[in-house]
Every structure is written in C-alpha cells, then in structure tokens.
Amino acid sequence: MNLHVPPPSPRRPLHVRLATPRGFCAGVDRAIQIVERALEKYGAPVFVRHEIVHNRHVVERLKGLGAVFVKELDECPDDRPVVFSAHGVPKSVPATARSREMLFLDATCPLVSKVHVEAERHHAAGRHILLIGHAGHPEVVGTMGQLPPGAITLVETEEDAETVQRPGDAPLAYATQTTLSVDDTAGILAILKRRFPELPDPHKEDICYATTNRQEAVKRLGADCDLVLVVGSKNSSNSARLVEVAMRAGARDARLVDDASQVDWAWFDGVDTLGVTAGASAPEPLIEALIDAVRDRFDATVTEDDGARETVTFKLPRVLTA
C-alpha cells in the first residue's frame, strides 16, 4: 500500500545580522588566560576569588581544568595560588593575601584598575567621589574598597543623582563603573553637573572601549531588527545593558540567553530580521552554536555588520610569562 507522505514544509526565510564587535574583550581574554597559565605553571588546584568573569560556560570550563572558585580568601589554603577576578577587589583582599604569604595573581582588568587609580588621586586631593554604578556589583565593591569608608557615595539612578548630598563642603569628583549603559550614564552625569557645576564635564573614559563599542553595534541592530538575542549570563552587567540598549534603539523584542538551549522559538513569531550579539564575557563558540540552531529551523541568511575593529591587548603578569 502506498501512503502519501507530504513533503516537508519549506523553512521560513530569516535574515540574521551579526553585530561587530561582539563577545570577548581584551580584559576578559587576559583574565581567562591568567587562570589557564596559572594551572599550567602551578598545577591544579588554582583558586579563584569570585567568578573570573561573569559567564557560566567560562567558569564551568575552567572548573574542568582544575580551577576552584570561592567567595572569600578564607576558603583558600595558604600554599596554593589564588587569582583575583577581572572585576577588581578591595585593597583589603591583597593585603590579607600578603599577610598570609599567599601567591596571588591579580586579573583585574587594566581599565578597572585605571578607575581605582583615578579614585585614589581624587581622594588624595581632598575630593569626595560620586561613583555611578550598581550596588553589589563586584566592580563597584572593588572600587569603593580602594578608599576608606565614607570616601565614596554610590549613585545608581537619575533619582539618586537628584537627591545625593555633598558631605559638608567637600569638593566633588566622579567615577563610573566600566560596564554601564553609555546613555544612562550620560543622563545621570547631566543631573550631577547641573546640581554640582564644579564637576568636570561629562566624559566616557571610565566606560570601557569594549562596552561602548558593543552598545554602539547593538544600537545599529536594534534600529532594524524585530528580535535581538544577546548571548551572555544574567549576572553580566555589560550583557544586560545590551538588551536595554537594543530595546531603546527600536527592536521589537530583545532577550538575554546563556546559550542556544535557552531560546524560546515562540519569540520568532513574526520575526523577519534577527540580530545577534554577545556580551564581553561570552565566548564566540556560544554565538556559533546559536546561529547553527537558527539555521536548523529557518532558511537563514547571515550577514555581519560593519563595526569597530578592536586591536587592544593587555599584558599578562610577568610571573606567568617568565
């Protein structure tokens, strides 16, 4: 008996635009290399205080190589190396490591270290610092921990900027978390400048080049895409900001996904143009796997946007290259 088997339904066409730049930045690449080189040089285990970068896949891969992630130094033995995460640490952390005669490797992004140096310079000049950032983020904790308690006031929102008070008659300065939304930060700074005219003119130098470049690339996507998928982990500040920037730029929908397994294909109803990018701590293979999953379901045409070409690199600690 001949059964009529209908031909498979043709796959719906879909235009996929890949943002440039996307994924790893120089600071993230350096931090991961520090853990990998430490494991090669000293063997496992190598302890890492906090997640080296905010990406679940990166952390799990390094665990498989022998890295042990801890919250605080008191979980580390004295005789094994410990790496400080890319987000930076309060001054008390390396001070404690030195007092215990531990071998420690600082993977703080050099652009975060630059903010630390600026904060110390302002403090030495007698200025009180207004830090624009998100409470509890490791980078903010690290920056505030560079100075004595009370030397920095955190400003999270435009509402905070309208109400923050100068302590006494202290002159003011400001610094910013490196992974913020460029546009949100500009709004907060405009309010602070209006209230405290002696503040320097708003600038973007504290927000790192990689954050700025990825946000500019997503603005271009959001203006023309029905859906934007941002590959990155939920605790990644720069990844979360990309979702916000895409929506503000005009995308009908934007979602943050750790990887292709988190995609709900119902999001694609009515989607003709998909934008894809990744936060600065997300590896390129996750993006490639997402594109493969899209191709499995759609007749996808993939194009790569023009954007900034990043050539920045940061040196590794000398102890790992000698």
Side-chain angles (χ1 to χ4, degrees):
M1 182 173 61
N2 293 325
L3 294 176
H4 175 67
V5 179
S9 300
R11 292 180 299 169
R12 181 165 69 81
L14 180 70
H15 180 204
V16 182
R17 286 176 53 186
L18 276 174
T20 300
R22 61 184 179 273
F24 277 3
C25 64
V28 164
D29 190 52
R30 173 181 179 269
I32 294 169
Q33 283 192 61
I34 287 173
V35 178
E36 292 171 341
R37 295 282 190 94
L39 284 163
E40 290 171 7
K41 181 165 185 172
Y42 304 110
V46 167
F47 288 78
V48 185
R49 184 185 179 275
H50 292 181
E51 291 188 353
I52 187 67
V53 297
H54 282 160
N55 185 272
R56 178 174 63 86
H57 291 272
V58 169
V59 169
E60 290 302 320
R61 185 179 70 81
L62 292 174
K63 281 182 180 178
L65 296 176
V68 178
F69 291 85
V70 298
K71 290 184 177 180
E72 298 299 341
L73 281 187
D74 58 16
E75 300 172 63
C76 304
D78 292 344
D79 60 350
R80 294 304 304 165
V82 60
V83 179
F84 303 150
S85 83
H87 309 102
V89 295
K91 275 191 171 180
S92 59
V93 174
T96 298
R98 288 188 193 96
S99 71
R100 291 173 56 184
E101 299 183 346
M102 301 175 77
L103 171 61
F104 65 89
L105 300 160
D106 189 355
T108 300
C109 174
L111 298 179
V112 175
S113 297
K114 172 179 169 288
V115 176
H116 293 178
V117 170
E118 288 176 351
E120 290 185 297
R121 178 172 56 82
H122 288 312
H123 182 65
R127 302 183 188 103
H128 183 82
I129 298 162
L130 304 176
L131 175 62
I132 302 170
H134 297 303
H137 188 279
E139 184 184 328
V140 167
V141 173
T143 299
M144 296 186 77
Q146 301 304 304
L147 300 177
I152 298 178
T153 298
L154 183 62
V155 179
E156 294 191 78
T157 63
E158 292 189 3
E159 290 75 16
D160 289 347
E162 291 283 9
T163 58
V164 65
Q165 297 299 312
R166 180 199 309 272
D169 58 356
L172 296 174
Y174 75 87
T176 69
Q177 183 180 330
T178 64
T179 54
L180 298 178
S181 160
V182 174
D183 294 336
D184 287 348
T185 303
I188 292 171
L189 280 173
I191 294 169
L192 293 175
K193 179 70 174 177
R194 168 172 54 78
R195 294 190 60 216
F196 308 110
E198 78 273 19
L199 280 173
D201 288 333
H203 63 84
K204 297 180 181 178
E205 282 85 346
D206 284 352
I207 297 177
C208 83
Y209 77 93
T211 297
T212 302
N213 289 346
R214 280 152 188 73
Q215 289 181 19
E216 288 300 318
V218 164
K219 285 180 184 178
R220 291 191 291 273
L221 284 186
D224 298 306
C225 290
D226 304 305
L227 171 65
V228 174
L229 294 181
V230 178
V231 179
S233 293
K234 288 183 172 59
N235 60 342
S236 166
S237 175
N238 77 86
S239 299
R241 301 292 80 74
L242 292 178
V243 174
E244 297 167 1
V245 170
M247 292 295 289
R248 195 173 296 160
R252 195 180 74 202
D253 193 9
R255 305 280 180 158
L256 180 64
V257 294
D258 246 321
D259 53 45
S261 71
Q262 293 189 346
V263 173
D264 182 344
W265 298 102
W267 298 339
F268 284 71
D269 291 347
V271 171
D272 295 316
T273 303
L274 169 70
V276 176
T277 189
S281 48
E284 184 69 18
L286 297 180
I287 305 161
E288 294 168 356
L290 174 61
I291 297 299
D292 288 343
V294 170
R295 282 188 162 126
D296 285 344
R297 291 162 177 81
F298 298 92
D299 180 14
T301 303
V302 180
T303 60
E304 188 157 359
D305 279 16
D306 288 330
R309 299 291 170 175
E310 296 174 348
T311 58
V312 176
T313 57
F314 295 129
K315 292 180 180 179
L316 297 176
R318 191 171 300 168
V319 69
L320 294 178
T321 59

